[in-house]
Amino acid sequence: MLHLAKILNTKNHNWLQSSRFRRLRITNLNIGTCSDGNERIKLISSILRNNRCESVRLYHDDGAFGYRIPRIFSMPDYTQEELSNRVENANLLRFITAYRTHGHRCAYIDPLGIMEREEVVALDHTRYGLTDPTKVYNLTGILHVNESKTSTSSKVEANLEHIISHLKKVYCGKVAYEFMHIPNASERRWFYYMIESFDILSLTIEQKRRIFEVLTRSEVFDHFMAKKFPQVKRYGLEGAESMIVALDRLFEVSNKSGIVEAVLCMPHRGRLNLLTDLLHFSPTRLFHKIKGNSEFPEDLPATGDVLSHLAISSTLGYGSAKPITVSLLHNPSHLEAVNPVAMGKARAKQMDLIKSETDCELGDRVMCIQLHGDAAFTGQGVIMESFGLSNLPHFSSGGSIHIVVNNQLGYTTPAQNARSSWYCSDIGKMINAPVIHVNGDFPEEVTRAVEMAFEYRNKFRKDVIIDLISYRRWGHNELDEPAFTQPLMYNNIRSRKSVPKLYEDKLLTEESILSENDISEFRKNYYNTLDEHYKKSDTYKPEADMLEKKWNGFIMPTETVTKMDTGVSREILENVGKTSVNIPHDIVIHPRLKKFHIQTRLQKISEGKKIDWATAEALALGSLMLEGHNIRLCGQDVGRGTFSQRHAMIVCQDTERVIVPLNNLISDQGMLEIVNSPLSELAVVGFEYGMSYESPHNLVIWEAQFGDFFNGAQVNIDTYISSGEVKWLRQSGLVMLLPHGYDGAGPEHSSCRIERFLQLTNDKFDILDENIPSNPNMHIVNPTTPAQYFHVLRRQMKRNFRKPLIIATPKILLRSPVAVSDIEDMLHGTTFLPIIEDKSVNDDKVEKIIFVSGKLYYDLVKERQNKKLEDKVAIIRFEELCPFPKSDVEKELKKYTNAKEFIWCQEEPQNNGAYTFIEPRLKQLLPSEQKLKYIGRPPSAAPAVGISKWHSAEIKNILTNVF
């Protein structure tokens, strides 16, 4: 019995190192004919089929850095003896299957008793002809019971009465399960075994005391807040305190299983309780913030954020060899928008560990934990998009654990008006995620649910959902009156003891673990502790923590840096260019690629002339990889490029084996991860932002299929990309490539809405006031040459700070014979130019200056030539729109002393494009009494027309008016 990778005897196939293949152990293989990679691919296809991996395609596996498949965990199939018994007792099997399928429908999982329940006739044993309660059945292969532990026989027997009692106990108690929808039989069998043979072992006294402590601290905290800050919306946890128990137990069991990093995201409910109760967030710091002060030092340029968005990274010890670091992320008020960000951050952490630890697989060391509210879980589309990413090889981090804090009420809307599904957790069934429902009034049962969820995630490395059913003691916030809309529900709630009080009573009266004095002393001591922090909060001085660990060495910039030497030696560029199209002999290349991609690129590299956009991009990425930077390029069809221009990955036409040539530059290099993403924007952009958030030394790029497709991700652009640094002092170097340009493609394929990004920047308006710092939150460029694109990508990684970079990339210019660069434009000593001057004119003769940004420049040059106006008209290109290139513009204007007319020309409508951003700034630099004239399309509600004749007429009109 041999290891598969050893059998195939290859070192160059990264996918052989994936956990799925490492766990397949194959016998009796004849590989004598495997002379090349294609033969090996065929052999492995056969292996996979023989090992029940029929649904696995090898597309993208071979040579694709970052392609990670979680391990396969299989339960043994039924033996022949078990199969025979299942046939013999088929009616009993049907009855037990009904409990597995429908038991949750009559389980005691609702603390308020308001969930609609009806008789589940499928659970009536008489419907299956089972009428004799004393009849004994052989349960082999049918049901797991804890009866015969002292017996040496494998045969398990029980009478019908005991069987029914056992089924009700395990499927209809305070914990209920939904797993029968899972298509994988091995996973279902695992659940049968875990649920039905589960010994409900009593928790130790120490464990029960721990539950008491975290519950009570949460309640005391809420009571303290209510007394000291009665007018503050704290979104307390009262009614759902078991959330704290769930997280505490999850941190413990995961840490003892080897998890050392947990990335946690959550909405507002219970956030302050979690921060102060488990995550060691200083109450002094919290009270300082509540009193109206900044959470950051006063000298830092941060606007701060509201209480319910605070975050922390804490290291927690649970007695394991290495403690667990829990990173609670900042979140916006847009519920669930943080979830894909957390997934991306967890993926980045996991990939770093996989790179440094040879025995580390997806999910071994890092886990993503996502908390949700029940209404948002079904109401926000980002949930569906994020679930869609969860099991994809370039997005998975080994499975997330979802905890839905189910208050049975969304804002003021009851469940029957908030969702169309039976449970809020039903959305998870789109990826066949199992669901564990648990009654939040019983914290010990909550710990059991958590342990089961973690065991599933740890075995199968897939998402699992815990539906923690609880309630809100107050309204949406503590200042709200919920009885306006739910009077009966809140009559019920207000007559109930709290969850901590119920648990205290249990430990006090039923188990005698606590005394009245223990309880009162603990509550009093913690209240006094909080009061001490409250007194210290007036003199508290916040400390900055934003540039630590991986961000050590980076700075918070105080001024804009736009120009720096980003050139590379000719030798390196030629090597990168040739390697980018160096394909192994056993890859069958599409004939069109061989001629129009490979041969053409080799010729351009050899001559050093007419370098196109895709080649310049490959040179930029490859040169950064040689400097040690990993690169992740993500988007829909990015491997080949939307416009079939990139071909960063080559697919074998015979086997669909994939090669990424740039990953074969040298042995010690950064790696390029090509991620052909699903048809999602909001979740994918959030995910990539999370990747960049965690990995400042890696270049993370998201490319929209067309520029205006970014608008599906507008929530995360508004709340993270544009404002994350100013709100939380957290930098991101995410690059967004947005194909832009008016070519008659209609209103949804023309504009990347440059105006929206410019409006989101904080670049100063008064550009003449030197006392106002210039350090905008994002950099926005619209390059017109491949060399400019090359330099701006390299600049992104060479600076000692990170800013999101928005690039309006071309479409028709990708193959334009005039939009090309020489390799000299990329050598040492060259740089990105925010403004490109017009070298073709005689400065003294220029009477008119046209400012333009983007591909319209080439149309203007052609029209100027046609009208023979080269001596009188200068065309100046704005390559970088934000930060506004003041000094470069001033330098240009000084050259044209006789210019009397100044025009801003754009192809976008007047209310779109860069005009409204440029005009108030540019006019400050024009000679006195000179105005900036606008020429372009008139204001429009749609970004472009959809009628080709109108489009052509508009272009003609622009060129006519300019000249």
Side-chain angles (χ1 to χ4, degrees):
M1 187 172 292
L2 300 175
H3 191 287
L4 177 58
K6 292 180 180 177
I7 291 173
L8 298 179
N9 192 25
T10 179
K11 297 179 180 179
N12 297 321
H13 296 81
N14 292 340
W15 52 271
L16 289 179
Q17 305 307 314
S18 72
S19 53
R20 174 173 297 231
F21 291 110
R22 288 210 299 272
R23 278 173 168 72
L24 292 176
R25 293 185 175 272
I26 315 300
T27 59
N28 301 324
L29 290 179
N30 180 3
I31 61 166
T33 60
C34 295
S35 58
D36 58 25
N38 293 338
E39 289 295 324
R40 287 191 288 269
I41 293 293
K42 293 175 183 177
L43 174 62
I44 294 169
S45 297
S46 174
I47 293 170
L48 289 173
R49 285 192 296 273
N50 293 335
N51 283 270
R52 300 186 178 184
C53 300
E54 295 89 346
S55 63
V56 177
R57 295 180 67 213
L58 290 174
Y59 181 67
H60 241 186
D61 282 9
D62 188 35
F65 172 73
Y67 189 97
R68 311 294 301 188
I69 304 177
R71 67 189 185 192
I72 294 177
F73 179 87
S74 297
M75 291 288 286
D77 201 354
Y78 295 108
T79 65
Q80 190 58 50
E81 177 189 359
E82 290 171 331
L83 290 172
S84 298
N85 190 50
R86 287 165 68 89
V87 172
E88 183 177 343
N89 292 292
N91 282 356
L92 178 65
L93 176 60
R94 289 172 56 219
F95 173 57
I96 292 171
T97 300
Y99 262 92
R100 292 167 174 167
T101 306
H102 303 293
H104 62 91
R105 293 169 58 189
C106 60
Y108 177 38
I109 55 176
D110 176 14
L112 299 181
I114 61 175
M115 293 178 67
E116 294 184 7
R117 294 295 182 181
E118 59 185 20
E119 182 183 1
V120 185
V121 296
L123 304 185
D124 180 0
H125 57 279
T126 63
R127 295 172 66 88
Y128 305 91
L130 307 174
T131 57
D132 183 357
T134 63
K135 183 176 179 179
V136 176
Y137 292 88
N138 179 4
L139 301 182
T140 303
I142 297 178
L143 180 67
H144 302 281
V145 293
N146 296 314
E147 278 217 337
S148 305
K149 292 192 174 181
T150 59
S151 172
T152 57
S153 172
S154 62
K155 184 176 181 180
V156 179
E157 295 180 338
N159 63 32
L160 180 61
E161 183 178 24
H162 182 78
I163 290 170
I164 295 172
S165 173
H166 183 64
L167 290 172
K168 286 182 178 179
K169 180 176 70 174
V170 298
Y171 286 112
C172 302
K174 303 176 187 74
V175 183
Y177 308 89
E178 290 186 274
F179 60 89
M180 291 297 284
H181 58 277
I182 301 176
N184 186 292
S186 188
E187 292 181 41
R188 294 197 304 273
R189 287 198 298 274
W190 181 87
F191 265 104
Y192 304 159
Y193 179 81
M194 290 294 293
I195 297 168
E196 295 163 9
S197 65
F198 189 77
D199 266 332
I200 305 180
L201 299 175
S202 297
L203 297 176
T204 65
I205 291 177
E206 289 74 16
Q207 289 173 323
K208 292 183 178 183
R209 282 186 175 273
R210 175 69 179 178
I211 293 174
F212 155 72
E213 289 173 1
V214 297
L215 284 175
T216 304
R217 281 202 300 265
S218 178
E219 185 169 65
V220 171
F221 173 83
D222 276 326
H223 290 175
F224 182 89
M225 291 284 287
K227 182 177 180 179
K228 297 293 187 180
F229 306 103
Q231 299 303 312
V232 170
K233 299 176 182 178
R234 66 181 186 274
Y235 303 103
L237 199 54
E238 291 166 280
E241 290 94 342
S242 287
M243 181 198 86
I244 297 287
V245 176
L247 288 170
D248 187 48
R249 187 61 176 156
L250 181 55
F251 296 155
E252 181 180 3
V253 297
S254 60
N255 189 215
K256 290 180 177 179
S257 296
I259 300 292
V260 295
E261 295 263 8
V263 180
L264 174 63
C265 62
M266 68 180 298
H268 47 281
R269 180 78 49 207
R271 190 182 190 94
L272 304 185
N273 304 65
L274 173 62
L275 282 167
T276 55
D277 196 346
L278 291 186
L279 300 186
H280 308 321
F281 192 96
S282 168
T284 303
R285 180 179 172 188
L286 177 66
F287 300 148
H288 177 82
K289 170 67 175 176
I290 296 175
K291 291 180 178 179
N293 302 300
S294 173
E295 61 267 44
F296 303 111
E298 293 181 359
D299 60 331
L300 293 178
T303 62
D305 204 352
V306 298
L307 281 176
S308 52
H309 300 169
L310 294 175
I312 194 172
S313 180
S314 300
T315 300
L316 310 178
Y318 285 96
S320 56
K322 190 172 183 180
I324 182 171
T325 298
V326 180
S327 301
L328 173 61
L329 302 189
H330 295 95
N331 66 296
S333 291
H334 291 71
L335 295 175
E336 314 295 334
V338 65
N339 297 358
V341 178
M343 294 169 65
K345 186 176 177 69
R347 166 79 178 193
K349 286 180 177 291
Q350 183 65 75
M351 292 301 292
D352 285 347
L353 288 173
I354 287 175
K355 186 176 180 181
S356 61
E357 300 182 20
T358 56
D359 63 340
C360 183
E361 299 169 359
L362 279 180
D364 280 358
R365 305 283 187 273
V366 180
M367 181 169 63
C368 183
I369 306 169
Q370 301 178 44
L371 270 68
H372 314 269
D374 53 309
F377 200 53
T378 55
Q380 298 296 308
V382 68
I383 292 295
M384 183 279 292
E385 292 190 31
S386 299
F387 271 130
L389 303 180
S390 61
N391 293 326
L392 298 180
H394 286 283
F395 292 93
S396 173
S397 61
S400 294
I401 291 184
H402 302 262
I403 302 177
V404 182
V405 182
N406 187 348
N407 295 309
Q408 308 186 66
L409 197 64
Y411 198 61
T412 63
T413 304
Q416 63 265 29
N417 294 337
R419 63 175 185 265
S420 297
S421 58
W422 182 265
Y423 294 115
C424 65
S425 55
D426 286 346
I427 184 68
K429 292 177 182 176
M430 68 168 280
I431 60 165
N432 304 306
V435 180
I436 303 174
H437 306 278
V438 60
N439 190 323
D441 263 6
F442 299 90
E444 291 185 12
E445 300 292 338
V446 170
T447 65
R448 177 185 171 194
V450 165
E451 290 170 6
M452 181 76 79
F454 178 75
E455 283 300 317
Y456 172 84
R457 182 263 179 198
N458 219 30
K459 286 288 188 299
F460 298 100
R461 300 297 161 89
K462 296 180 181 179
D463 288 30
V464 57
I465 301 169
I466 299 173
D467 180 18
L468 178 62
I469 303 175
S470 54
Y471 57 89
R472 291 189 322 219
R473 182 159 293 277
W474 310 110
H476 176 65
N477 59 69
E478 289 70 24
L479 309 183
D480 188 24
E481 175 48 77
F484 288 155
T485 49
Q486 283 82 36
L488 298 182
M489 180 180 187
Y490 274 86
N491 282 340
N492 182 342
I493 290 173
R494 285 164 181 167
S495 66
R496 298 177 61 81
K497 279 190 174 182
S498 69
V499 176
K501 289 288 188 183
L502 289 173
Y503 195 65
E504 286 175 5
D505 289 349
K506 179 177 183 293
L507 299 188
L508 176 67
T509 61
E510 296 178 23
E511 303 184 21
S512 300
I513 292 176
L514 296 176
S515 67
E516 291 279 7
N517 186 62
D518 291 335
I519 296 170
S520 62
E521 282 296 308
F522 186 86
R523 285 178 170 270
K524 183 176 70 174
N525 290 340
Y526 190 59
Y527 189 94
N528 290 339
T529 298
L530 293 175
D531 200 40
E532 287 299 316
H533 284 284
Y534 179 81
K535 293 173 183 176
K536 295 177 183 177
S537 60
D538 288 331
T539 58
Y540 174 75
K541 299 295 182 183
E543 296 180 358
D545 64 350
M546 65 284 184
L547 296 174
E548 299 177 348
K549 298 179 181 178
K550 293 181 181 180
W551 289 87
N552 186 34
F554 289 86
I555 66 167
M556 298 294 292
T558 56
E559 61 180 351
T560 299
V561 178
T562 59
K563 293 179 182 178
M564 58 192 308
D565 185 352
T566 46
V568 181
S569 73
R570 181 185 293 270
E571 180 183 5
I572 289 177
L573 293 179
E574 289 179 349
N575 176 50
V576 170
K578 293 174 183 177
T579 305
S580 71
V581 287
N582 184 19
I583 313 300
H585 72 279
D586 54 353
I587 296 289
V588 179
I589 306 168
H590 193 285
R592 287 173 59 186
L593 288 184
K594 184 178 294 187
K595 179 178 181 181
F596 297 107
H597 177 68
I598 296 174
Q599 294 178 1
T600 301
R601 178 169 294 182
L602 288 173
Q603 180 181 351
K604 291 177 179 180
I605 292 296
S606 175
E607 296 173 353
K609 303 291 185 182
K610 298 182 178 180
I611 304 297
D612 57 53
W613 286 84
T615 302
E617 179 184 79
L619 298 179
L621 301 186
S623 58
L624 287 171
M625 291 161 67
L626 288 174
E627 295 168 12
H629 299 288
N630 286 342
I631 298 171
R632 179 177 164 100
L633 174 57
C634 175
Q636 295 150 22
D637 297 315
V638 294
R640 62 159 226 173
T642 292
F643 310 101
S644 197
Q645 86 284 3
R646 178 174 289 123
H647 300 292
M649 65 174 220
I650 302 295
V651 181
C652 178
Q653 299 299 295
D654 284 354
T655 65
E656 290 193 349
R657 174 184 164 202
V658 167
I659 183 72
V660 179
L662 281 177
N663 283 335
N664 297 313
L665 291 165
I666 58 175
S667 58
D668 184 17
Q669 64 168 80
M671 299 298 287
L672 172 60
E673 183 174 8
I674 298 293
V675 183
N676 287 323
S677 76
L679 202 64
S680 158
E681 285 79 40
L682 177 55
V684 170
V685 169
F687 191 99
E688 301 308 312
Y689 177 86
M691 293 283 292
S692 70
Y693 204 43
E694 174 66 21
S695 305
H697 297 286
N698 296 340
L699 179 60
V700 181
I701 304 173
W702 178 75
E703 181 175 59
Q705 198 169 63
F706 287 88
D708 51 356
F709 285 12
F710 80 88
N711 53 22
Q714 192 68 55
V715 168
N716 277 335
I717 292 170
D718 290 345
T719 57
Y720 280 106
I721 295 172
S722 69
S723 59
E725 181 179 7
V726 73
K727 288 189 297 189
W728 310 313
L729 295 179
R730 293 299 187 265
Q731 297 183 20
S732 164
L734 178 67
V735 177
M736 298 180 69
L737 305 181
L738 309 177
H740 175 84
Y742 284 61
D743 51 16
E748 262 80 60
H749 287 87
S750 296
S751 175
C752 76
R753 297 285 195 174
I754 292 174
E755 67 280 357
R756 288 191 186 173
F757 291 97
L758 290 171
Q759 185 187 28
L760 289 173
T761 67
N762 59 352
D763 203 8
K764 65 180 184 180
F765 278 85
D766 189 353
I767 63 174
L768 298 179
D769 188 344
E770 298 296 336
N771 294 319
I772 302 175
S774 177
N775 179 30
N777 55 324
M778 297 186 293
H779 287 199
I780 302 171
V781 301
N782 190 6
T784 56
T785 72
Q788 287 282 85
Y789 181 46
F790 167 90
H791 284 297
V792 81
L793 288 177
R794 286 187 50 79
R795 186 186 74 176
Q796 188 70 357
M797 299 307 294
K798 303 302 288 184
R799 298 189 291 200
N800 59 351
F801 61 89
R802 294 290 177 259
K803 296 280 186 180
L805 173 62
I806 314 302
I807 307 180
T809 54
K811 296 186 293 180
I812 61 175
L813 291 189
L814 291 172
R815 294 181 176 84
S816 171
V818 294
V820 293
S821 298
D822 292 343
I823 206 165
E824 281 80 4
D825 300 327
M826 307 175 198
L827 300 183
H828 285 306
T830 58
T831 185
F832 175 79
L833 301 173
I835 291 288
I836 296 183
E837 62 181 322
D838 192 341
K839 296 182 178 180
S840 66
V841 297
N842 186 325
D843 299 351
D844 295 333
K845 293 183 178 181
V846 169
E847 299 174 359
K848 178 188 295 187
I849 297 177
I850 302 171
F851 297 99
V852 66
S853 183
K855 78 172 184 63
L856 182 60
Y857 163 78
Y858 294 100
D859 295 325
L860 293 173
V861 169
K862 185 176 180 180
E863 187 68 11
R864 182 178 65 177
Q865 290 174 341
N866 292 339
K867 295 187 178 295
K868 296 181 171 44
L869 293 173
E870 290 92 336
D871 285 343
K872 296 184 177 181
V873 179
I875 304 175
I876 298 174
R877 282 174 275 178
F878 268 77
E879 299 284 289
E880 185 156 45
L881 299 167
C882 180
F884 182 82
K886 170 181 171 288
S887 59
D888 296 86
V889 174
E890 285 180 316
K891 180 181 177 182
E892 288 302 302
L893 289 175
K894 288 178 181 178
K895 291 161 51 177
Y896 304 111
T897 56
N898 294 318
K900 297 294 187 289
E901 187 176 2
F902 301 87
I903 295 171
W904 175 264
C905 185
Q906 68 179 34
E907 57 181 351
E908 302 88 357
Q910 189 171 6
N911 58 322
N912 295 175
Y915 174 65
T916 55
F917 177 86
I918 293 293
E919 191 271 340
R921 294 168 173 83
L922 182 54
K923 71 179 183 181
Q924 299 175 49
L925 302 180
L926 298 181
S928 59
E929 299 182 359
Q930 293 292 343
K931 295 183 178 180
L932 183 66
K933 182 179 180 181
Y934 168 82
I935 295 179
R937 287 177 168 84
S940 173
V945 299
I947 302 169
S948 59
K949 289 185 178 179
W950 287 14
H951 170 77
S952 299
E954 287 177 339
I955 289 293
K956 184 177 180 181
N957 186 56
I958 290 172
L959 296 177
T960 299
N961 289 339
V962 166
F963 294 105

